[in-house]
Amino acid sequence: MNEKTNESSVGSSGAEQHGGVVAVTPAMAQAWLTNMATNRRISSKRVKHYASIMAADNFHLNGETIKIDEHGQLIDGQHRCAAVVQYGQPVRIYVVYNVPRSAIVTIDMGRARSLADQLRVAYDYTNTGDLGTIIRLILEWNETGWISHATFRQVDPLEVHEYVVANPGATDLTKSAGALDHGAVNAIMKRNHCAFLMWLFSRIDPDDAKRFMHNLVNSIAEYENDPCVVLRRQLLRMRNDRFGHTKRNIVIGMTIQAWNKWRERKPAKLFRMPISTQPWDADSYPQPI
């Protein structure tokens, strides 16, 4: 038993694995990236996400390691290293040296924990799948003033938790869509999109927000060519067409247009989507009134 244990900690050079907490500097991280073994392509989105966590002082020692093989080459941790370079300051990370190159085939073999898994395990939240997406949308809206067609703001569990602590009513948002008929909601949009829209409209008028979303989901008309009925028909058709689920920014943008007409008691005939060559941007995206 001991012989096997000792063998597993020894690289081909004969030296034992060793490591500890290292203040990884940008220069050190860049040197490792330059001298890196064959690896996956680096995801710029993940690097940016890690760098933002580091900048917010939320990057914690959690047992995960950067691994250097018996030849001094980086075999695991390229995204964290690239993030340190982007952040531009030293970051304390566990580093293990002399890990056999052959060990790379056993790294990251487990199923990755989703944001929903992390929120459930770390903070004991319920409805974590919807909660994580709702907070993502809220943070994106608060920071940019619209919902992009091209990107989806990345969040980590601590960021979601801190938002919920600062905004205790946020956990009730998962219930706001749940209070509506599940089948009727799912027929036109995802539950978390419905909850986000409830949050967005409630900032203007909570009572109108509840009535509008209730009318939209249940196809209730208060006057001729009511935007709620017109939009529901259109979303229903889009949801069931051959292209599958409509992009979130389209569903949310069209619903904002319908809300604006409904608030002004104006009739509607059709809600137009942006054409693919001219998508909505931060300046043209519909804004609720």
Side-chain angles (χ1 to χ4, degrees), residues 2 20 37 54 68 83 93 96 107 109-111 113 116 141 149 158 172 188 202 231 246 275-276 279:
N2 290 335
M54 293 171 182
I68 309 298
I93 306 175
V96 179
I107 296 172
M109 289 185 67
R111 184 176 71 87
R113 286 191 181 92
W141 185 274
H149 66 286
L158 179 60
D172 292 334
I188 58 173
S202 291
L231 178 63
T246 309
I275 58 177
S276 59

Side-chain angles (χ1 to χ4, degrees), residues 200-218:
L200 185 64
F201 299 150
S202 291
R203 299 197 308 172
I204 299 169
D205 189 314
D207 292 332
D208 268 4
K210 289 179 183 178
R211 197 169 102 213
F212 172 80
M213 293 305 295
H214 175 78
N215 289 359
L216 173 62
V217 168
N218 294 287

Side-chain angles (χ1 to χ4, degrees), residues 238-283:
M238 291 164 58
R239 188 85 155 149
N240 293 321
D241 72 12
R242 65 189 178 87
F243 298 108
H245 292 175
T246 309
K247 288 184 177 180
R248 60 183 175 272
N249 77 306
I250 299 292
V251 172
I252 291 170
M254 291 175 66
T255 307
I256 292 172
Q257 292 179 69
W259 160 265
N260 291 345
K261 281 187 175 291
W262 182 82
R263 289 262 293 168
E264 295 178 336
R265 313 306 284 176
K266 291 181 178 179
K269 291 185 178 179
L270 183 71
F271 292 99
R272 297 192 178 278
M273 297 183 293
I275 58 177
S276 59
T277 55
Q278 292 180 310
W280 281 322
D281 57 24
D283 295 323

Side-chain angles (χ1 to χ4, degrees), residues 1 13 35-36 62 73 76 129 177 192 218 250:
M1 179 71 75
S13 64
N35 187 36
M36 182 170 61
N62 63 357
Q73 290 189 303
D76 185 43
N192 44 51
N218 294 287
I250 299 292

